[in-house]
């Protein structure tokens, strides 16, 4: 189910999840995606709610279990 949710999401969300799963900080993610740090925080918060993850660690674990990261 989790993997299916990710596969339906936008490419940017997948990039964000993969970077979080690799342990990247928000500033590093912002640099890699060429967006503001605030944008990363906003997108990450929305993504956590969307997939029902409590925090970025749980998001990374869910992504790993789904074969996303």
């Amino acid at each position: 189910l989790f993997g299916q949710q990710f596969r339906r999401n936008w490419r940017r969300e997948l990039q964000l999840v993969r970077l979080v799963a690799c342990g990247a900080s928000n500033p590093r993610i912002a640099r890699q995606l060429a967006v503001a740090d605030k944008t990363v925080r906003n997108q990450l918060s929305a993504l956590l709610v969307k997939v029902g993850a409590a925090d970025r660690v749980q998001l990374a674990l869910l992504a790993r279990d789904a074969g996303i990261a």
Side-chain angles (χ1 to χ4, degrees):
L1 176 65
F2 185 77
Q4 290 173 351
Q5 287 174 316
F6 269 131
R7 288 181 183 96
R8 287 191 302 254
N9 290 339
W10 295 92
R11 183 177 179 188
R12 180 58 59 121
E13 288 177 327
L14 289 172
Q15 291 174 319
L16 181 61
V17 168
R18 288 182 176 128
L19 289 166
V20 168
C22 289
S25 66
N26 285 357
R28 180 175 162 209
I29 293 169
R31 283 191 306 274
Q32 288 197 286
L33 299 181
V35 297
D37 186 52
K38 177 76 172 149
T39 301
V40 173
R41 289 194 309 266
N42 289 341
Q43 289 178 345
L44 183 55
S45 293
L47 188 56
L48 291 172
V49 169
K50 191 176 208 177
V51 300
D55 55 30
R56 65 193 301 135
V57 173
Q58 187 178 20
L59 178 65
L61 293 172
L62 290 169
R64 181 203 63 196
D65 292 347
I68 305 271

